[in-house]
Amino acid sequence: QVQLVESGGGLVQAGGSLRLSCAASGRAFSRNAMGWFRQAPGKEREFVATISWSTISTTRYADSVKGRFTISRDNAKNTVYLQMNGLKPEDTAVYYCAAAGGVYSSSFAPMGSRSYDYWGQGTQVTVSS
């Protein structure tokens, strides 16, 4: 059974930092793109960041987080991370980790949620002003 388990969420003041982790189990994702999405109350789930599987990873970010968030992965640990700096109240949301089920090119890093087959349960991030 494939599981993605997020951790690292919490309450932080504006301008602070958090590092989210997503540990995958049940299968290896070393050849699969992985990403982060978020959903704020009353809003649709939105793309945050994605990373391809290769050692020279392709990364893509939502405009709203560029320059503040960094996605990375450790294939040996089957884990993807999201370092979040300069947090703003508008970053408050439940953050979800996702993994693509298929193996594509080494630069494959999709922004659309439909490209992902596995999802975690989410971790709450709350940024106070």
Side-chain angles (χ1 to χ4, degrees):
Q1 181 181 359
V2 175
Q3 281 191 314
L4 302 179
V5 179
E6 302 96 337
S7 62
L11 174 64
V12 65
Q13 288 187 335
S17 299
L18 284 173
R19 187 193 194 207
L20 304 184
S21 299
C22 171
S25 62
R27 61 162 281 186
F29 287 99
S30 57
R31 303 272 295 194
N32 305 87
M34 299 188 76
W36 288 94
F37 291 76
R38 68 186 182 186
Q39 187 167 19
K43 296 186 177 181
E44 293 187 353
R45 189 174 298 188
E46 65 175 4
F47 166 77
V48 175
T50 179
I51 185 167
S52 63
W53 61 260
S54 71
T55 53
I56 306 176
S57 300
T58 296
T59 57
R60 302 171 74 184
Y61 298 91
D63 288 343
S64 59
V65 307
K66 278 182 184 176
R68 300 187 297 122
F69 290 11
T70 303
I71 189 171
S72 61
R73 64 189 296 163
D74 185 335
N75 286 339
K77 294 182 179 180
N78 222 21
T79 299
V80 65
Y81 306 96
L82 186 67
Q83 177 67 44
M84 306 186 294
N85 299 328
L87 282 161
K88 304 175 181 180
E90 51 263 44
D91 294 319
T92 294
V94 177
Y95 283 71
Y96 297 92
C97 169
V103 177
Y104 301 96
S105 71
S106 59
S107 62
F108 181 67
M111 300 171 67
S113 60
R114 293 183 179 181
S115 297
Y116 295 89
D117 302 285
Y118 303 98
W119 293 83
Q121 292 301 306
T123 185
Q124 176 70 46
V125 171
T126 303
V127 185
S128 63
S129 57

